[in-house]
């Protein structure tokens, strides 16, 4: 692990507002641009330093189209001036079609710069990372690398590309192995001297375990309705801002 990091506490909390959750998964799940803007404002007031969101189309489906990306970013920026805004580029949004994803992202060029996100996450487990990285950077959008495994860490190192942040995302698997899997990925990134700050997080069961581990390691983390719908004790939460407050209360 990086020397001098342990015990410093969380360096940053990013609020992940909705992810791929379906309408109705939680009463406060934000879907429309106005709902995302309000959720972002509340999360910022609770202590979030950035937000990550999955803009939706009129039917509530995740979308990469310029119309939906621009509307969501514009609404959040108006409600939260200066707050860094990120979006996903998950390949599932275009049905696994790499070319369709590329064309959708290239369509962001028609947006004014202020209506483009500040950063976008790109998963190394999906094909097309280097090309999408270059397209996003030409648009003035920073890239977060989604690294889910040791293999993803090695793939990122092989590209030689630098990212604004490396998302060490421990997706699925047993909660009792989440920390060891996280250390394996973080350790491999360090062995390969991959540059860029690390953000550690998990989903569902391991979410709170890995948030605390991020604090122990002095890393950034994220929390929000995309990742978990309950408190560390398993109680229901009111929404994204509630999750951010709970995360800050557990800061180590």
């Amino acid at each position: 692990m990086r020397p001098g990091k342990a015990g410093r506490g969380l360096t940053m909390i990013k609020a992940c507002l909705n992810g791929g959750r379906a309408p109705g998964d939680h009463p406060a799940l934000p879907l429309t641009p106005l709902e995302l803007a309000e959720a972002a404002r509340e999360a910022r007031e609770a202590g979030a330093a950035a937000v990550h969101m999955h803009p939706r189309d009129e039917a509530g489906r995740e979308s990469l189209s310029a119309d939906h990306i621009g509307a969501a970013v514009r609404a959040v920026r108006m409600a939260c001036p200066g707050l860094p805004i990120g979006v996903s580029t998950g390949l599932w949004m275009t049905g696994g079609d790499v070319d369709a994803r590329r064309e959708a992202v290239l369509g962001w060029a028609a947006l004014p710069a202020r209506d483009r996100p500040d950063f976008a996450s790109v998963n190394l487990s999906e094909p097309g990372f280097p090309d999408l990285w270059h397209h996003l950077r030409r648009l003035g959008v920073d890239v977060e690398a989604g690294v889910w495994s040791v293999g993803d860490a090695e793939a990122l190192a092989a590209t030689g590309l630098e990212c604004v942040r490396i998302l060490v995302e421990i997706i699925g698997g047993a909660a009792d192995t989440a920390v060891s899997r996280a250390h394996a990925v973080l350790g491999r990134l360090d062995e390969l001297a991959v540059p860029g700050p690390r953000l550690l997080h998990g989903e569902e069961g391991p979410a709170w375990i890995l948030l605390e581990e991020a604090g122990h390691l002095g890393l950034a983390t994220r929390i929000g309705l995309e990742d978990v719908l309950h408190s560390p004790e398993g109680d229901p939460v009111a929404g994204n801002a509630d999750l951010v407050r709970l995360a800050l209360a557990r800061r180590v």
Side-chain angles (χ1 to χ4, degrees):
M1 217 55 55
R2 295 192 159 219
K5 283 284 188 180
R8 289 190 177 181
L10 296 170
T11 60
M12 184 266 276
I13 292 180
K14 178 172 62 176
C16 50
L17 301 178
N18 59 352
R21 299 279 187 189
D25 280 355
H26 189 279
L29 185 73
L31 300 174
T32 69
L34 290 179
E35 289 169 349
L36 287 165
E38 180 63 12
R41 184 189 63 77
E42 292 174 350
R44 182 186 209 178
E45 290 176 353
V51 294
H52 167 82
M53 60 187 181
H54 294 214
R56 307 298 180 101
D57 66 13
E58 292 74 15
R61 296 176 296 240
E62 297 167 275
S63 174
L64 292 176
S65 82
D67 286 346
H68 303 126
I69 294 289
V73 170
R74 182 164 55 252
V76 173
R77 221 176 284 288
M78 289 178 64
C80 308
L83 181 68
I85 300 168
V87 301
S88 174
T89 63
L91 190 56
W92 60 86
M93 296 187 207
T94 58
D97 188 328
V98 174
D99 293 336
R101 178 175 66 175
R102 181 185 64 250
E103 291 307 309
V105 169
L106 289 175
W108 301 359
L111 296 170
R114 66 180 178 276
D115 290 351
R116 300 174 197 166
D118 297 294
F119 54 89
S121 61
V122 184
N123 297 320
L124 267 294
S125 59
E126 299 170 351
F129 177 84
D131 286 344
L132 193 55
W133 186 96
H134 288 295
H135 293 316
L136 288 164
R137 293 302 302 122
R138 280 193 287 268
L139 290 166
V141 177
D142 283 323
V143 177
E144 294 184 312
V147 174
W148 297 10
S149 65
V150 168
D152 285 352
E154 293 168 347
L156 178 59
T159 70
L161 300 175
E162 295 190 20
C163 300
V164 68
R165 206 162 18 251
I166 299 171
L167 310 180
V168 177
E169 306 182 88
I170 306 305
I171 308 299
D176 60 1
T177 65
V179 170
S180 62
R181 286 183 284 139
H183 278 261
V185 176
L186 289 163
R188 190 59 176 147
L189 288 167
D190 286 348
E191 289 170 1
L192 296 169
V194 179
R198 281 63 159 144
L199 182 153
L200 173 63
H201 81 97
E203 294 182 345
E204 307 303 349
W208 291 108
I209 295 169
L210 291 170
L211 183 141
E212 290 197 352
E213 188 63 17
H216 288 307
L217 298 174
L219 301 176
T221 193
R222 79 177 202 186
I223 200 72
L225 293 176
E226 173 173 354
D227 285 351
V228 67
L229 302 177
H230 56 77
S231 74
E233 293 73 34
D235 298 322
V237 294
N240 285 293
D242 198 11
L243 288 166
V244 172
R245 282 189 289 267
L246 287 167
L248 287 170
R250 298 178 77 82
R251 177 177 285 180
V252 296

